[in-house]
Amino acid sequence: MAQVKIPVGILGATGMVGQQYISLLNDHPWFEVRYAAASPRSAGKKYEDAVAGRWHLAKTYAPHVGGIMVEDANDVSRAVAAFKKGECSFVFSALEMGKDETRALEEQYAAAGIPVISNASAHRWTPDVPVLIAEINPDHTDIIPMQKKARGWDRGFIAVKPNCSIQSYMKPLHALAQAGFPAQRLIVTTMQAVSGAGYPGVPSLDMIDNIVPYIGGEEEKSEKEPLKIFGSIDNGVFKDAQSPKISAHCNRVPVTDGHSACVSLEFAGKKPSLEEIKKIWAAYKGLPQEADLPMAPKQPIIYREEDNRPQPRKDRDTDKAMAVVIGRLRPCNVFDIRFTALSHNTVRGAAGGGILNAELLKYKGYIN
Ligand code: NAP
């Protein structure tokens, strides 16, 4: 007998990340898109009309999604009505609005009994909201009962994923730390794709034949978010880890998809050999792999030996675009080692990462 799928909603369904959600959920074994919401500009249109002329992906949406009537994401009562009709058990939030507005709106959904799995940065610094990378900190979901109790929410809660720029180097760092080689200091230079700015994003005249050495707020996020992810739960709130100390340079480059990061790393104590590091990365697995979650890459970190890899165009789609691809591991003249890492920003860094978090939350019994 076919399994009944959990009906899900997408807030910001018409945007760059929302479209990735719709596309990745086309034939997902557990979840089915039944509810879509966006700005008042799109509300009241069929999904196919709302995205006509601005569908960005090669893969299209499922036929039933084209016929969904887009709602105004600011009107939570529409999602509550859909929940009551069995059409929206929880929502993925891919809204691009002001931080305060997003924070307040996501809280309204949670308070109304609709769990929110968010891509937005608004709640990343809320002390009782977990920032999840499913392989690294699946135990951070343990805060959800405390969050619900403290806020008086019965069914709803908020869980978020971190910034797309840190995805490529967090798992390599975690793998090394788990093997007894934590990092103490890092210097990271990112080269971030234009799709990271949404649509229409950065003006083409700024991007063609050019690099923009500034992405608002990105360096601060890249330096702080890893400490929450590596942190722990203390009395119902998150306590940040003390290390590694990170200095980030974030650049926008003329690449469509795929954020690259050049990393120089100093270890806190013992220093593994380059061969040991490659073995640690190759053997790295987390709960998503052990539980065989549908969106999980088989091998979260792939090392390429060629001198000229990873490259966004050739490597970003590795294993459903969910794997991190690394290359150029070599000694560093200032710190201990250096390497280049790549991950797909709108998949692993956004919708794919959000879906993996939802699978983790279902696996742990927080959504059903
Ligand atoms: P986007 O392409 O600009 O899409 C924004 C979405 O938000 C659209 O669906 C838009 O609806 C909706 N929206 C805008 N203003 C609204 C309002 N006032 N009320 C309700 N809905 C509104 O942005 P994106 O790149 O998909 O990013 C979405 C979120 O994901 C952002 O928070 C971003 O920071 C985060 N994120 C993005 C990436 C990435 O690589 N792009 C990676 C990680 C996280 P309309 O179409 O009707 O205007």
Side-chain angles (χ1 to χ4, degrees):
M1 204 174 73
Q3 198 192 356
V4 178
K5 294 188 184 180
I6 296 177
V8 304
I10 317 281
L11 310 181
T14 50
M16 185 72 78
V17 174
Q19 292 184 16
Q20 272 292 6
Y21 271 115
I22 299 270
S23 166
L24 292 170
L25 290 169
N26 254 354
D27 31 45
H28 191 277
W30 299 352
F31 307 134
E32 182 179 31
V33 178
R34 301 273 298 280
Y35 184 82
S39 80
R41 293 178 290 277
S42 304
K45 295 181 185 167
K46 275 189 189 172
Y47 187 76
E48 63 197 10
D49 296 327
V51 295
R54 56 175 179 141
W55 181 260
H56 308 295
L57 306 171
K59 191 175 160 192
T60 189
Y61 41 83
H64 82 274
V65 173
I68 291 177
M69 197 61 77
V70 179
E71 302 287 354
D72 178 355
N74 300 284
D75 186 353
V76 179
S77 71
R78 307 299 299 171
V80 172
F83 170 68
K84 288 184 179 153
K85 282 194 279 175
E87 292 175 355
C88 180
S89 185
F90 69 92
V91 292
F92 291 108
S93 166
L95 292 168
E96 179 65 68
M97 303 163 61
K99 261 198 196 8
D100 291 344
E101 280 171 282
T102 309
R103 200 179 296 120
L105 189 57
E106 291 184 344
E107 285 179 8
Q108 282 179 41
Y109 278 87
I114 299 179
V116 179
I117 297 171
S118 183
N119 284 78
S121 60
H123 269 297
R124 291 189 196 141
W125 288 103
T126 307
D128 60 352
V129 170
V131 179
L132 300 171
I133 295 183
E135 285 89 350
I136 299 181
N137 59 347
D139 51 315
H140 280 197
T141 55
D142 293 350
I143 203 159
I144 289 170
M146 303 175 220
Q147 183 197 96
K148 286 162 83 168
K149 190 169 173 215
R151 289 152 178 274
W153 296 341
D154 55 356
R155 187 176 178 276
F157 63 84
I158 301 172
V160 307
K161 55 159 291 306
N163 192 263
C164 45
S165 66
I166 70 171
Q167 301 287 332
S168 65
Y169 54 89
M170 283 301 284
K171 278 185 286 287
L173 291 188
H174 181 240
L176 291 168
Q178 267 193 324
F181 305 109
Q184 174 161 277
R185 295 195 296 167
L186 297 183
I187 294 183
V188 181
T189 302
T190 66
M191 291 160 283
Q192 301 186 207
V194 284
S195 61
Y199 185 79
V202 190
S204 56
L205 279 178
D206 283 340
M207 280 327 303
I208 296 170
D209 185 29
N210 207 15
I211 288 174
V212 180
Y214 174 70
I215 306 174
E218 207 81 346
E219 291 173 353
E220 295 77 2
K221 291 176 195 164
S222 304
E223 291 167 357
K224 281 176 66 182
E225 290 179 16
L227 300 177
K228 185 168 182 186
I229 293 163
F230 285 146
S232 52
I233 299 171
D234 183 14
N235 246 332
V237 294
F238 283 102
K239 191 169 149 202
D240 287 354
Q242 293 303 302
S243 60
K245 193 162 191 171
I246 300 175
S247 171
H249 308 251
C250 295
N251 303 285
R252 188 73 71 195
V253 299
V255 163
T256 52
D257 293 308
H259 289 353
S260 303
C262 296
V263 180
S264 292
L265 179 160
E266 179 183 61
F267 290 105
K270 291 183 294 174
K271 302 176 203 325
S273 70
L274 300 185
E275 283 317 305
E276 268 179 285
I277 293 173
K278 288 182 199 171
K279 277 192 194 143
I280 289 166
W281 283 342
Y284 178 71
K285 291 208 180 345
L287 188 151
Q289 287 70 37
E290 284 153 21
D292 202 18
L293 299 181
M295 200 67 206
K298 292 275 168 275
Q299 193 176 326
I301 302 174
I302 309 250
Y303 188 81
R304 296 205 63 122
E305 292 288 348
E306 301 94 317
D307 286 338
N308 61 357
R309 303 290 276 274
Q311 295 179 17
R313 193 151 42 81
K314 295 176 181 168
D315 296 311
R316 63 191 168 208
D317 292 326
T318 305
D319 202 343
K320 307 184 288 274
M322 288 295 285
V324 165
V325 182
I326 306 189
R328 305 224 58 225
L329 176 66
R330 59 214 191 278
C332 175
N333 293 334
V334 179
F335 286 173
D336 294 320
I337 57 162
R338 46 193 161 153
F339 59 88
T340 301
L342 168 80
S343 86
H344 196 301
N345 54 298
T346 63
V347 183
R348 179 79 224 203
I355 294 169
L356 187 59
N357 284 346
E359 293 170 354
L360 169 71
L361 289 159
K362 178 183 178 296
Y363 176 80
K364 292 206 161 211
Y366 292 111
I367 51 179
N368 50 50

